[in-house]
Amino acid sequence: MSVRDQLRAVLSTLGSQTALIAVSKTKPVELLQEAYGAGQRDFGENKIQEMATKWELLPKDIRWHMIGHVQTNKIKYMAPFVHLVHGVDREKVLDELNKAAKKANRTIDCLLQVHIAAEETKFGFDPEEVEGVVARADQWPFVRIRGLMGMATHTDDEAQVEREFTQLRELFERFKAPQEWDTLSMGMSNDYPTAIRCGSTHVRIGSAIFGARNYNE
Ligand SMILES: *Cc1c(COP(=O)(O)O)cnc(C)c1O
């Protein structure tokens, strides 16, 4: 199936409450153009420089989502244009985003990435740390926290995935009203239907739209 057809197939399974971020990491700009031509405007990348290169080449009404681990020394390359930084997983990233946003004369929107999976390797704040970060948000006047992001364990055990997404959703609900949060980013190609059932507002879907990634290319 073409990118256009796969995009349509994915969109047809999303409710009107859920936004689609097309995860285009490692994919050539031609495929992003195809998705753009089919109406897609939100794209996700996990490397800052790759995202900046694609931003230069593609139409300027694309909303670029930084979904990967943030290397603070690269923030300057995305500060002028990034739409939403999902992978804020330590306060140092908030410090550096704040400086870069001030310099770029703008506010940068972000999500706090929370570690909900059983795997040790995934990045993120522990759930108990979120309250403290939110309480200190005045320290970063040029950054606006809009919600949370998380990744579930990679497993066929749907009950476990559901427990993890539900935990994130409950944490999100605690701060949603007082903080005016609007974004709960969870769900990827293999688990997004579960994420949507658990209240996801933004799913990040790559391989189901663009095909499997080949990191050796
Ligand atoms: C790669 C990636 C995705 C998309 O994964 P797929 O399995 O291709 O849908 C979503 N979120 C993050 C953080 C990613 O790094």
Side-chain angles (χ1 to χ4, degrees), residues 23 25 46 67-68 149 151 187-190 204-208 213 215:
V23 175
K25 62 192 186 195
N46 72 338
I67 63 169
M149 178 272 217
M151 278 185 273
M188 319 187 357
S189 293
N190 63 327
R204 310 176 307 271
I205 299 181
S207 40
R213 285 177 293 276
Y215 286 100

Side-chain angles (χ1 to χ4, degrees), residues 36-102:
Y36 181 89
Q40 182 64 25
R41 290 295 178 272
D42 289 271
F43 289 85
E45 291 283 336
N46 72 338
K47 295 218 166 69
I48 292 171
Q49 273 164 327
E50 182 177 342
M51 183 171 75
T53 302
K54 288 171 172 171
W55 168 70
E56 281 176 17
L57 294 169
L58 288 164
K60 293 297 173 280
D61 60 341
I62 289 178
R63 293 179 289 270
W64 291 99
H65 297 255
M66 177 61 207
I67 63 169
H69 184 67
V70 177
Q71 288 180 275
T72 50
N73 61 339
K74 306 243 168 88
I75 286 174
K76 56 180 175 284
Y77 301 116
M78 68 171 171
F81 71 89
V82 68
H83 176 69
L84 184 64
V85 181
H86 295 232
V88 172
D89 61 357
R90 56 206 193 282
E91 294 201 18
K92 170 137 170 78
V93 176
L94 289 165
D95 294 338
E96 298 301 322
L97 277 177
N98 189 63
K99 280 187 215 161
K102 183 175 182 194

Side-chain angles (χ1 to χ4, degrees), residues 8 20 23 27 75 129 211-212:
R8 286 214 180 116
L20 172 63
V23 175
K27 297 296 178 183
I75 286 174
E129 292 178 296

Side-chain angles (χ1 to χ4, degrees), residues 10-11 14-22 40 42 63 65 83-84 86 182-187 192 196 199-205 209:
V10 168
L11 282 170
L14 303 183
S16 57
Q17 304 299 310
T18 315
L20 172 63
I21 298 164
Q40 182 64 25
D42 289 271
R63 293 179 289 270
H65 297 255
H83 176 69
L84 184 64
H86 295 232
D182 56 14
T183 307
L184 179 57
S185 167
M186 55 185 199
Y192 76 88
I196 291 171
S200 172
T201 67
H202 289 64
V203 290
R204 310 176 307 271
I205 299 181
I209 296 169

